[in-house]
Amino acid sequence: MNIIEIIEKKKNRQELSANEIEYFIKKYTANEIADYQISALLMAIRINGMTDNETFYLTKSMIESGDVIDLSSIDGFKVDKHSTGGVGDKVTLVVTPIIAALGVPVAKFSGKGLGITGGTIDKLESVNGFRTELTSEEFINNVNQYKIAVAGQTANLVPADKKLYALRDVTGTVDSIPLIAASIMSKKIASGADGIVLDVKCGSGAFMKTFEEAKLLADTMSSIGEKLGRKVVAHISDMDNPLGLMVGNKMEVVEAMELLSGNMNNTHEDLYEECVIISSLMYEIATGKSKEESLSTVKEVIENGKALEKFKELITIQGGDVSDIHLKETKYSEEIKAVNSGTIERVNALLIGEVSVALGAGRLTKESTLDYDAGVALVGKNGMQVKQGDVIAKLYSNKEITEDIIKKAEQAFVIKL
Ligand code: URA
């Protein structure tokens, strides 16, 4: 067996065997196959797809490329969630304390932002002192004692994905359903949870642009998880418009805390609804309770303030300063005004995501440093009536906000008469 034969086979739409998949994953992780050969193979996969069996063996080989976290010393059913990535998606910050406050252990490994999609780790690191690097002992102790830990992925968790993802990012091969499914599920399975709720985003601000693609990705990931003995539930949600009002690291932590405080004036119904759905699905798979009971239980734990208490406890036990969770004045700010009167039909998530990256809230390269206080605060949301000249968004940054950025923010709002 050699890599050229494997590339040829995939190019000619023949199914790769488990052995062939294991071979190229092992050799590539060990730096024994060149990037240019794997690039060719990835493009053949992107164009010709993979069968369910191939996707399953790819995921399995990727899991086996590194450490698998053993959470067996944590009592109870450990539940995790994963979002395929979006703009203003701070759902993890809200749902993990809800679930932990209900006594279900949450062992959450999260990632940094990539492109226009934000990452939970960056958001939490925006809080003064918060540590996302925990030793495995600390992680397990926190989950046992407080029912919650949120940490960055360890260096040796699915090393094959680190190499493959970096290559896909620069070879136009990110948007492939089997490659995304294997990338996400290998990390979720290796992270050790018993049950996983997948929040599959669909729309302009997501990898999956149509409902059909999102459904296929959701089904592919669920089937992989179930074959590997995990309980998996997938939920497809809108990412044509940003979620909630805030897009930017610290700003999103502030919004999450406002929601948990029951302060709906500083957040939006769409975020509340999404958080209630995701947390009730997590509760349902962990406890076996009915959908109705799960929904009312999670709403109750928000209303009685217990989820907020747990959120503050999470921040504190991981070294963060709760008093630092407030909006900070940035050196520059700009108001975006409605160019005409009418109804906001859409707030383009892709454009708002690009604006927030340009303001400094996201990375242009892996090495970029983030401006934690930068971002976009939406005032106008889809469905809202506005008059010409009304403020529909505010931009914040510690670097100068150029005309291009302002124009793009204006263009994000589609206002129909
Ligand atoms: N998120 C991942 O972890 N991997 C992908 O391929 C896409 C989104």
Side-chain angles (χ1 to χ4, degrees), residues 82-85 114 117 153 161 165 168 173-174 176 179-185 187 207:
H82 184 85
S83 156
T84 55
L114 192 79
T117 64
Q153 278 140 13
D161 183 62
Y165 199 95
R168 287 168 57 208
T173 51
V174 169
S176 146
L179 294 178
I180 295 176
S183 164
I184 291 176
M185 290 311 289
K187 287 176 287 199
F207 289 117

Side-chain angles (χ1 to χ4, degrees), residues 65-82:
S65 73
D67 298 339
V68 173
I69 296 168
D70 179 7
L71 299 179
S72 58
S73 57
I74 299 173
D75 301 331
F77 186 96
K78 278 80 60 184
V79 69
D80 193 355
K81 62 106 23 196
H82 184 85

Side-chain angles (χ1 to χ4, degrees), residues 42 51 67 76 184 200 212 240 332 356 380 408:
L42 289 171
T51 63
D67 298 339
I184 291 176
V200 182
E212 288 67 34
D240 234 10
Y332 301 94
S356 90
K408 195 176 264 193

